[in-house]
Amino acid sequence: MNLSADETGDSFKRTILLIPLIFGVLILLFTLDLLTGSVNIPLDAFFNIITGGEVKETWQNIFWAWRLPKAITAIFAGGALALAGLLMQTFFRNPLADPYILGISSGASLGVALVMLSAGAAGVGVIFQTFGFIGDLSISVAAICGSFAVLALILAISSKIQSNITILILGIMVAYISSALVTILLQFSDESSMHSYTAWTFGSFSGVTWGQIPVMTVLLMAGFLISLCSVKSLNALLLGEQYAESMGMNFKRTRTIIIANTALMAGAVTAFCGPVGFLGIAVPHLCRALFVTADHRILVPACIIVGGIISLCTDIISHFPGTDIVLPLNAITALFGAPVVIWVIVRGTKFGRGVTT
């Protein structure tokens, strides 16, 4: 798709008008996520907590140890998944591509399954508990190792072939192989390990501790920075691989950066939050429709912010304010994401700007 000067000018004007609005929505939902849950915190108590005033100790513990890390995780994870989805949709020029299309999530799931399911059977789980901080990160480390093992495989294969479609098919096949291995491991695991693994696959922003947040945010901020530095290459890819190379772009190097960056962000989110689906495929389409553009100078920051907004919404809904009910996060994201995907399919290329072939 050609980015005309008139369209670019209109999009930037629209962006300038929308930025205060979406930042306002982000702050509002962030505050709402801190206030609501099984125990609702009154607004005056909320201000006392953040200003160091007198307030119930229970509310302070809920706020600092539980809700604040959860809300921060939701913003970063949602932004990273949306951005990774945008990179994959642009790279494959496919509006239905998502961050996990190369088998990154399946690799992370296999790593976690190896730790959870084999540890339960062999009693290795007790060993992890003795490692303190490292033991606390064992599931995350396993997921990162699994996702980066798949990444290394995909990068090794992509260095031998040219076609993006071939890489796409290979990624899907790797995902099938990983899923098959996980199914075999489940068959030989005990009931407790199966339950723990199943709960992990539901996805959650609640399990990230203050000790894990610095590791997660540094990884995701690196992904955001790399994406912001790649907007020129991403815009060139909208015009096709051959045209991009005629503009002087090193396609192989760009491909490696995009794949590695997607794996970094999707792998990190999966490691700390489990496999959270649909945000990566739905949010880029929402941003294209909202800002009416395919320009990545607008879409990259837009996906980070809108991804954070949508993930905060799904987190608030999943914790069902005022009750002890906690719904699986992936069920909520699917209820949000599936209608968006149906909308994209029904409306054709109008809202799949720049990513359809």
Side-chain angles (χ1 to χ4, degrees):
M1 180 181 176
N2 190 20
L3 299 174
S4 67
D6 288 343
E7 180 184 353
T8 302
D10 291 342
S11 298
F12 275 112
K13 289 177 184 174
R14 190 177 295 104
T15 302
I16 292 171
L17 293 174
L18 284 173
I19 279 179
L21 176 63
I22 61 174
F23 264 112
V25 172
L26 181 70
I27 293 170
L28 176 66
L29 289 172
F30 182 76
T31 307
L32 199 60
D33 199 29
L34 296 174
L35 294 176
T36 58
S38 58
V39 176
N40 291 328
I41 299 176
L43 196 58
D44 56 341
F46 168 75
F47 285 114
N48 283 339
I49 291 172
I50 59 177
T51 56
E54 288 292 326
V55 71
K56 287 183 181 177
E57 187 177 348
T58 307
W59 288 348
Q60 290 221 24
N61 291 335
I62 290 173
F63 180 87
W64 292 112
W66 173 260
R67 291 189 184 169
L68 187 55
K70 178 169 68 73
I72 292 172
T73 301
I75 289 178
F76 275 91
L81 289 176
L83 190 50
L86 175 68
L87 295 183
M88 287 292 95
Q89 289 173 7
T90 301
F91 178 65
F92 288 113
R93 305 193 71 194
N94 185 335
L96 299 180
D98 73 359
Y100 303 132
I101 200 166
L102 293 177
I104 303 300
S105 172
S106 298
S109 299
L110 178 59
V112 171
L114 284 170
V115 170
M116 279 191 179
L117 304 181
S118 63
V124 185
V126 179
I127 298 175
F128 280 114
Q129 293 175 4
T130 64
F131 286 138
F133 177 71
I134 299 299
D136 190 41
L137 282 174
S138 60
I139 300 300
S140 304
V141 171
I144 289 172
C145 290
S147 61
F148 273 83
V150 172
L151 168 66
L153 179 63
I154 296 295
L155 288 178
I157 294 172
S158 65
S159 66
K160 305 293 182 184
I161 57 179
Q162 291 291 330
S163 171
N164 291 350
I165 299 300
T166 305
I167 296 173
L168 178 65
I169 295 170
L170 289 170
I172 294 172
M173 293 302 107
V174 169
Y176 274 118
I177 293 170
S178 300
S179 298
L181 292 173
V182 170
T183 304
I184 292 171
L185 282 171
L186 284 170
Q187 187 66 28
F188 292 100
S189 60
D190 57 53
E191 187 176 343
S192 173
S193 299
M194 286 178 66
H195 183 268
S196 299
Y197 178 77
T198 304
W200 179 80
T201 60
F202 288 164
S204 174
F205 300 130
S206 307
V208 182
T209 64
W210 281 115
Q212 294 171 340
I213 278 184
V215 180
M216 184 191 71
T217 52
V218 166
L219 291 173
L220 297 185
M221 287 292 288
F224 295 166
L225 186 60
I226 293 170
S227 300
L228 288 169
C229 294
S230 304
V231 292
K232 188 176 178 181
S233 300
L234 291 168
N235 280 342
L237 283 174
L238 293 177
L239 304 172
E241 177 186 332
Q242 291 182 344
Y243 187 88
E245 285 187 314
S246 71
M247 298 277 291
M249 187 184 83
N250 185 328
F251 179 71
K252 281 191 174 181
R253 186 178 65 185
T254 301
R255 180 171 65 180
T256 301
I257 291 173
I258 291 175
I259 292 175
N261 193 27
T262 301
L264 172 70
M265 291 189 286
V269 173
T270 306
F272 292 100
C273 307
V276 180
F278 276 105
L279 291 178
I281 190 171
V283 174
H285 292 299
L286 276 181
C287 292
R288 292 187 188 97
L290 185 63
F291 293 92
V292 196
T293 185
D295 191 338
H296 287 80
R297 290 174 296 178
I298 296 172
L299 288 179
V300 167
C303 279
I304 296 172
I305 300 170
V306 177
I309 289 173
I310 301 299
S311 62
L312 283 172
C313 279
T314 57
D315 186 53
I316 292 169
I317 296 170
S318 69
H319 284 82
F320 230 73
T323 72
D324 292 331
I325 298 172
V326 179
L327 300 173
L329 183 62
N330 270 323
I332 305 301
T333 56
L335 286 173
F336 157 76
V340 173
V341 174
I342 293 170
W343 174 48
V344 170
I345 293 172
V346 172
R347 298 299 297 268
T349 59
K350 184 176 180 182
F351 292 111
R353 302 170 74 88
V355 295
T356 52
T357 56

